[in-house]
C-alpha cells in the first residue's frame, strides 16, 4: 500500500516537509523504530521557548506496552479513542505553567508546548511518519492517571505512526481522510497598521 499523501496547496513556495505534514486518522500497524521515536523527541527538545524555559513534557506509550498504551488511550475522548487505538504510538503533552528560574507564571507555556509539538511533527514527516494531535482528551483524568503535578497542565493528545490505509476507517472518517486540506487565505490574518487591514505583503 502506498501511503496517502496530502500536500498543501500553497500560495507561495514552502519547504516540502511543511507541505507534506498532515494529520491522518488511519495508521499502519507497523511499529515505529525506537531510534526514530527518539529523533522525534529530540526534535521537540530543540524547539524555541520563552526564556528557554522548555516547559514541555511528553507521556509516551507504544503498542508493545499494552498496559501503558491503554492508560493513555483512556484519557482520550471516545471519538478519538476509536481511531487512535490503531496507532502504534500515542501520548500526551503537558506544560509546566511556571518558570523554573523564578517561579513566575509562564504566559507562553502552551505556546511553547505547541512549538515543540510542531517541531516533532515536522521531524516525523521527514522520517515518513505523521502525527495527529488531539484537543479531545480528559486532562483531569490524565492528571490523576499519571500523577501530573498541580502547577503543570496536560495540553493535548498525540497519535503517531506510519500513515495507513484510509479504507480501514469507517465511512465518515474515510471521507475526511481523503478530503483536501483547507486553510484561510493569508490576506485574512496578516495585517499592517491596524487590526483587519491586510498587509500588502499578502494581498492576492
Ligand atoms: C491542538 C490540536 C488539537 C486537535 N484536536 C483534534 C481532535 O481532538 N481530534 C481530531 O480528530 N483531530 C484533532 N486535531 C487535528 C486538526 O483537526 C487538524 O490538524 C486540522 O484539521 C488541520 O489538518 P492537517 O493537520 O491535516 O493540516 C487537532 C489538532 C491540533 C493542532
Amino acid at each position: 500500500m502506498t501511503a496517502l499523501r496530502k500536500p498543501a496547496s500553497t500560495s507561495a513556495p514552502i519547504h516540502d516537509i511543511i507541505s507534506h505534514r498532515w494529520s491522518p486518522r488511519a495508521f499502519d500497524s507497523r511499529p515505529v523504530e525506537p531510534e526514530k521515536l527518539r529523533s522525534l523527541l529530540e526534535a521537540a527538545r530543540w524547539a524555541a521557548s520563552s526564556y528557554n524555559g522548555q516547559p514541555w513534557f511528553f507521556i509516551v506509550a507504544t503498542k508493545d506496552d499494552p498496559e501503558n498504551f491503554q492508560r493513555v488511550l483512556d484519557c482520550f475522548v471516545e471519538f478519538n479513542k476509536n481511531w487512535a487505538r490503531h496507532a502504534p504510538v500515542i501520548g500526551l503533552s503537558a506544560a509546566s505553567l511556571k518558570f523554573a528560574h523564578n517561579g513566575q507564571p509562564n504566559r507562553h507555556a502552551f505556546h511553547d508546548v505547541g512549538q515543540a509539538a510542531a517541531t516533532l511533527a515536522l521531524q516525523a514527516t521527514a522520517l515518513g511518519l505523521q502525527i495527529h494531535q488531539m484537543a479531545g482528551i480528559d486532562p483531569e483524568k490524565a492528571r490523576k492517571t499519571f500523577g501530573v503535578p498541580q502547577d503543570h497542565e496536560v495540553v493535548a493528545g498525540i497519535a503517531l505512526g506510519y500513515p495507513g490505509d484510509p479504507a480501514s476507517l469507517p465511512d465518515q472518517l474515510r471521507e475526511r481522510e481523503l478530503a483536501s486540506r483547507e486553510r484561510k487565505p493569508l490576506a485574512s490574518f496578516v495585517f499592517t497598521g491596524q487590526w483587519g487591514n491586510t498587509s500588502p505583503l499578502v494581498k492576492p
Side-chain angles (χ1 to χ4, degrees):
M1 189 207 74
T2 49
L4 178 59
R5 291 153 69 91
K6 296 182 57 165
S9 152
T10 63
S11 64
I14 61 173
H15 197 287
D16 261 7
I17 293 299
I18 302 169
S19 82
H20 284 93
R21 183 215 59 79
W22 68 285
S23 304
R25 293 193 181 87
F27 285 96
D28 201 283
S29 58
R30 177 178 158 198
V32 178
E33 299 82 343
E35 64 275 15
K36 288 195 180 172
L37 263 185
R38 191 178 170 116
S39 289
L40 266 51
L41 295 162
E42 181 68 19
R45 179 176 174 230
W46 285 99
S49 61
S50 175
Y51 287 97
N52 200 17
Q54 307 164 59
W56 45 74
F57 292 83
F58 296 94
I59 297 167
V60 187
T62 54
K63 262 265 163 65
D64 59 7
D65 176 3
E67 192 188 327
N68 273 316
F69 191 91
Q70 192 60 45
R71 290 170 80 221
V72 173
L73 193 67
D74 284 342
C75 297
F76 297 173
V77 299
E78 215 52 39
F79 170 79
N80 287 330
K81 259 184 210 168
N82 284 333
W83 56 265
R85 71 196 155 97
H86 299 294
V89 186
I90 54 176
L92 292 158
S93 61
S96 164
L97 303 179
K98 288 184 183 157
F99 284 113
H101 71 275
N102 61 6
Q104 290 301 305
N106 179 359
R107 199 174 83 79
H108 292 94
F110 270 48
H111 173 277
D112 291 349
V113 173
Q115 296 225 96
T119 312
L120 187 155
L122 293 176
Q123 182 66 41
T125 303
L127 296 173
L129 297 154
Q130 295 291 358
I131 84 166
H132 197 130
Q133 301 174 71
M134 287 163 263
I137 59 168
D138 181 340
E140 282 316 303
K141 184 167 188 181
R143 178 189 297 289
K144 285 195 196 102
T145 305
F146 296 102
V148 178
Q150 276 308 325
D151 52 358
H152 292 58
E153 196 158 332
V154 178
V155 178
I158 298 172
L160 76 91
Y162 293 96
D165 187 352
S168 66
L169 293 169
D171 291 353
Q172 230 183 359
L173 287 188
R174 188 181 332 115
E175 260 173 49
R176 284 165 75 173
E177 196 84 344
L178 297 172
S180 58
R181 296 171 56 221
E182 303 292 338
R183 288 300 188 269
K184 299 189 288 190
L186 279 177
S188 70
F189 65 90
V190 184
F191 304 150
T192 296
Q194 192 73 36
W195 186 266
N197 185 26
T198 296
S199 164
L201 282 173
V202 296
K203 282 230 163 97

